[in-house]
Amino acid sequence: MALKEWYVEYQIHNNRPGLLGDISSLLGMLAINIVTINGVDNMRRGMLIRSSSDDQVARFRAILETIEDISVIKVREPRLRDRLAIRHGRYIERDADDKKTFRFIRTELGLLVDFMAEQFKREGHFLVGIRGMPRVGKTESIVAASVCANKRWSFISSTLLRQTVRSQLADDEMSEDHIFIIDGIVTTMRSTEKHRTLVSDIMRLPAVKVVEHPDIFVRETEYELDDFDCIIELRNDEGEQISYEVVESGFSSFDIS
């Protein structure tokens, strides 16, 4: 049987000396390999394991559940959030009501870039929205994630260096391997008809599109938030409110984002 990976997470009630060693020895006796191990939350530990036998993994779980010092939280095939939790030592926060909305703060840009890079590797149409106040790192994170995903990117509209409003693309840019970056404020409130036509064409491409300020984008176009496959919120700190009250038809702080 081919090797298969599993994600295991447990809560530690008594972090006694030798606890991890005992669990590691148990894995060794069951011929299960440890791929990665890390703390993923307060008094929680996660591990990525690899085994050729599902029965051995089930046996491992059954034995873990007899250890009074811990409680088994998860034993499952690893998901993207599990792999990133192992890598970065914490789980990505997800909105309790809207499971496709993920929240980050500026100190977690490394985690954000890794998360977006995995999303950008998808094939076909995938629409990402990213909310955040000016100068919080939205556009820079998108570009870094594109590099990590080994994909080219094209700014369709942006204010990263100066206001960019494209009305046409080169032939090699109309590619499914591109990441198309759209500033929702610039596109809907400060653009030309040719630009909006280009955006409509790009939205129909079977490729990854990233829209900054998706709330303004859906307010001014026929698109809805339900059309987005993933929404990311990036804040300077956990208490920051993302507000668009300053957005008008003229100049605002969002012109330098």
Side-chain angles (χ1 to χ4, degrees):
M1 183 183 295
L3 290 174
K4 180 179 176 180
E5 289 190 345
W6 296 82
Y7 176 73
V8 178
E9 183 177 316
Y10 56 86
Q11 178 79 42
I12 301 172
H13 304 300
N14 177 25
N15 196 17
R16 61 173 174 78
L19 176 61
L20 179 58
D22 291 346
I23 293 173
S24 300
S25 298
L26 175 60
L27 285 165
M29 287 187 289
L30 293 170
I32 300 173
N33 298 321
I34 299 175
V35 179
T36 313
I37 186 166
N38 198 1
V40 296
D41 208 340
N42 184 32
M43 295 300 287
R44 284 193 183 187
R45 181 170 289 131
M47 59 175 65
L48 197 62
I49 60 175
R50 189 176 291 149
S51 174
S52 59
S53 170
D54 293 354
D55 290 341
Q56 292 293 71
V57 174
R59 189 172 303 170
F60 173 60
R61 176 175 190 163
I63 297 173
L64 281 187
E65 289 176 342
T66 67
I67 301 176
E68 295 182 353
D69 297 314
I70 65 173
S71 295
V72 179
I73 306 297
K74 298 167 186 170
V75 179
R76 65 190 185 196
E77 293 186 34
R79 304 170 184 173
L80 172 59
R81 293 178 70 229
D82 299 330
R83 294 184 185 278
L84 292 178
I86 284 284
R87 191 181 306 170
H88 292 272
R90 67 170 297 276
Y91 260 98
I92 297 170
E93 182 182 352
R94 186 158 62 174
D95 189 282
D97 299 319
D98 183 1
K99 296 300 184 182
K100 67 180 180 182
T101 298
F102 301 87
R103 294 173 176 153
F104 299 83
I105 57 176
R106 187 172 172 80
T107 56
E108 300 168 340
L109 287 182
L111 176 58
L112 170 59
V113 168
D114 267 4
F115 175 72
M116 285 199 295
E118 292 300 323
Q119 305 292 352
F120 291 176
K121 292 175 184 177
R122 295 171 180 265
E123 299 293 332
H125 169 79
F126 194 75
L127 184 58
V128 179
I130 180 165
R131 299 177 175 128
M133 298 302 286
R135 295 173 293 280
V136 73
K138 300 183 297 297
T139 309
E140 296 88 338
S141 298
I142 296 168
V143 171
S146 301
V147 174
C148 291
N150 196 30
K151 286 194 174 182
R152 297 176 62 186
W153 66 93
S154 292
F155 287 109
I156 308 306
S157 56
S158 175
T159 57
L160 181 61
L161 299 176
R162 58 185 175 81
Q163 184 162 296
T164 299
V165 180
R166 305 275 304 269
S167 58
Q168 61 182 9
L169 295 180
D171 290 341
D172 64 341
E173 288 181 290
M174 296 295 282
S175 164
E176 299 175 11
D177 292 328
H178 260 68
I179 308 295
F180 296 100
I181 306 170
I182 299 167
D183 185 304
I185 295 175
V186 174
T187 285
T188 60
M189 305 183 71
R190 306 187 181 107
S191 66
T192 64
E193 186 60 36
K194 282 188 175 181
H195 170 78
R196 288 189 287 271
T197 299
L198 174 64
V199 169
S200 295
D201 292 341
I202 288 171
M203 294 295 282
R204 289 193 291 268
L205 281 176
V208 176
K209 281 80 67 173
V210 187
V211 178
E212 297 184 44
H213 316 301
D215 302 279
I216 302 298
F217 186 76
V218 301
R219 189 186 74 186
E220 304 292 332
T221 67
E222 71 276 16
Y223 296 97
E224 301 178 355
L225 284 177
D226 287 342
D227 295 324
F228 285 80
D229 299 289
C230 173
I231 298 288
I232 294 167
E233 295 180 352
L234 178 58
R235 293 173 169 84
N236 285 293
D237 56 71
E238 291 181 358
E240 183 178 53
Q241 295 293 320
I242 299 174
S243 172
Y244 296 99
E245 292 180 0
V246 298
V247 178
E248 299 173 353
S249 58
F251 179 82
S252 77
S253 58
F254 280 91
D255 288 297
I256 312 173
S257 57

